Amino acid sequence: DASDTADTYNPGEHPNVSCSEIPSGQLCEVTGAITTDLTMKNVEGFTWLIAGPVFVGDDSDANAATLNIEAGVTVFADTTTDDTLLCVTRGSKLEAVGTADAPVVFTPSADGELVRGMWGGLIINGKAHLNKEGGVAEGEGNTGEYGGGANPDNTDSSGTLKYVVVEYAGKLITTEDELNGIAFQAVGSGTTVDYVQVHMNQDDGMEFFGGTVNAKHIVLSGIGDDSIDWTSGYTGKIQYAIVHQYGDNADRGIEADNDKNNNDIEPRSEPMISNLTIVGCGADCQEGVGSHGILLRRGTGLKLFNSIVSSAADACVDLLMWANCETWRNIAADAV
């Protein structure tokens, strides 16, 4: 209820929420698999914390749930455990709807200096297409299956991210198992992604694993690896995107693949991007920091319009041809 106050509000009644007193009011800790709808309300005196791997739903239609997060809520991520993350499973939804003046912010709970990789980040699993065997794959960091299988739903909705900030995430589990700021895993076009920033992530800022989700008004700042990454048949649209690399840690502005084992597999990765600005770290890049503005490889396609790449440490745009002939053939065919 919009009239809830600290005296009337009791989120601890939800099975996944446990509240305790702290000097500023109540600390409400969210854990486990949320199978009953939950709303994180913006009520003065209440602080929200996710601890360990928190899943919305359990990948079954019977237990699909919606996590609502009100404008102005800061969701703190517990950094005393190595596995804190928030994952939306197939069929469930995250409705995180902030405003320009009151965004929804995901940030570490740690006192003192904030650095990249302090928690796992946000993972969204959908039912859209994927060019993996059987149309299904397993998410990094034990985040469950994604993809619609033999009958994908390319208009699937996983909810809304609007005026959302995800910061200081991207924990590296191993050198081959890394969590992104936001991983869109076979997410459908019914999902709204608008006015979203990923800031100071250790691994990739936003990575699209297949799917058809569109993203508008996005900012990737201070990302430690690739700012935007896609693979596995991603065919959505990205518009009004800004990438700003920092000189202490960065790789590519965009790293784009279709599939590393079968460059020509369908559906082919071929997003449409317009009004993109990439600002590399240029002269501010420390030794070994920074790479291509845009790297296209492994059979990917791309439709790119009205975009600028500047200050890349390596080539602004690199169409990788060695052992990637399908990338060249595909781009050449589109150009004709």
Side-chain angles (χ1 to χ4, degrees):
D1 189 285
S3 62
D4 280 328
T5 67
D7 294 330
T8 62
Y9 187 42
N10 185 17
E13 294 177 344
H14 190 281
N16 292 90
V17 181
S18 176
C19 296
S20 58
E21 291 188 9
I22 57 175
S24 60
Q26 294 282 321
L27 174 66
C28 293
E29 183 175 316
V30 181
T31 58
I34 300 168
T35 56
T36 302
D37 292 355
L38 171 64
T39 298
M40 294 182 175
K41 288 181 173 289
N42 186 3
V43 175
E44 186 176 357
F46 283 82
T47 300
W48 291 97
L49 176 76
I50 56 172
V54 174
F55 290 83
V56 183
D58 63 3
D59 203 34
S60 72
D61 291 339
N63 289 323
T66 298
L67 173 61
N68 298 285
I69 306 178
E70 292 186 342
V73 169
T74 296
V75 180
F76 292 96
D78 185 5
T79 57
T80 65
T81 178
D82 289 335
D83 57 357
T84 294
L85 55 83
L86 178 61
C87 178
V88 182
T89 65
R90 291 180 296 186
S92 291
K93 294 183 179 182
L94 172 62
E95 295 288 346
V97 182
T99 68
D101 295 327
V104 172
V105 179
F106 295 89
T107 195
S109 63
D111 295 328
E113 182 182 7
L114 298 179
V115 297
R116 298 180 182 94
M118 298 186 75
W119 66 290
L122 177 59
I123 300 95
I124 303 177
N125 294 337
K127 299 180 179 180
H129 68 218
L130 189 71
N131 64 17
K132 298 298 184 181
E133 183 178 358
V136 175
E138 179 72 26
E140 294 177 312
N142 297 315
T143 53
E145 288 190 341
Y146 61 93
N151 298 295
D153 180 2
N154 286 338
T155 61
D156 181 39
S157 174
S158 297
T160 304
L161 300 179
K162 191 166 185 178
Y163 289 107
V164 170
V165 178
V166 177
E167 58 183 14
Y168 302 103
K171 183 174 284 292
L172 306 185
I173 299 171
T174 70
T175 55
E176 298 298 324
D177 196 359
E178 305 165 330
L179 294 174
N180 306 288
I182 307 177
F184 295 98
Q185 302 187 150
V187 175
S189 62
T191 307
T192 297
V193 180
D194 200 6
Y195 296 102
V196 175
Q197 179 180 13
V198 178
H199 178 61
M200 291 291 284
N201 202 72
Q202 179 65 21
D203 194 44
D204 299 337
M206 290 184 181
E207 184 160 5
F208 300 85
F209 297 84
T212 57
V213 65
N214 304 316
K216 291 180 68 176
H217 304 107
I218 62 174
V219 177
L220 295 308
S221 50
I223 305 302
D225 196 4
D226 308 314
S227 294
I228 300 172
D229 197 330
W230 68 73
T231 185
S232 305
Y234 174 56
T235 58
K237 298 176 182 178
I238 299 173
Q239 187 177 23
Y240 307 121
I242 296 174
V243 169
H244 183 198
Q245 294 183 326
Y246 294 180
D248 68 311
N249 197 5
D251 196 0
R252 298 173 175 117
I254 292 178
E255 182 179 274
D257 296 332
N258 185 39
D259 182 83
K260 66 178 180 181
N261 296 317
N262 183 352
N263 294 172
D264 217 24
I265 195 170
E266 298 286 345
R268 184 186 303 277
S269 297
E270 193 168 20
M272 178 183 293
I273 299 179
S274 56
N275 309 103
L276 163 72
T277 300
I278 297 177
V279 181
C281 49
D284 294 329
C285 294
Q286 297 178 12
E287 184 176 356
V289 172
S291 184
H292 310 84
I294 299 175
L295 177 67
L296 305 175
R297 64 182 188 181
R298 295 172 175 169
T300 191
L302 170 63
K303 295 180 173 68
L304 181 66
F305 302 93
N306 300 329
S307 297
I308 296 172
V309 181
S310 67
S311 303
D314 204 322
C316 285
V317 179
D318 188 354
L319 178 58
L320 187 60
M321 294 179 60
W322 178 79
N324 283 259
C325 294
E326 289 82 358
T327 310
W328 173 255
R329 294 190 189 107
N330 188 53
I331 295 294
D334 283 348
V336 174

